[in-house]
Amino acid sequence: MYTTVNEDGILNNYATEPEMYYAAYPSPEQQNRYALAGAVAALFVTAVILVAFVVS
């Protein structure tokens, strides 16, 4: 941890920054899983909205 002290004696702590790295592009299998998860989420949200309209 990096610490500095100003003229009044007040400490100021700085967190250490992690190393930067680039994300890897998702594989075709991962892309298919993301698409499936998005479709399931869209169906879930649609079902919740329809149930809310039916109940009200």
Side-chain angles (χ1 to χ4, degrees), residues 14-21:
Y14 298 97
T16 55
E17 294 184 11
E19 256 187 67
M20 297 283 294
Y21 62 92

Side-chain angles (χ1 to χ4, degrees), residues 1-3 12-16:
M1 185 175 284
Y2 178 69
T3 305
N12 197 356
N13 296 327
Y14 298 97
T16 55

Side-chain angles (χ1 to χ4, degrees), residues 22-50:
Y22 292 101
Y25 194 77
S27 68
E29 292 83 18
Q30 288 174 325
Q31 292 176 12
N32 289 338
R33 277 187 271 155
Y34 292 148
L36 179 62
V40 170
L43 286 174
F44 179 73
V45 170
T46 302
V48 169
I49 291 172
L50 288 175

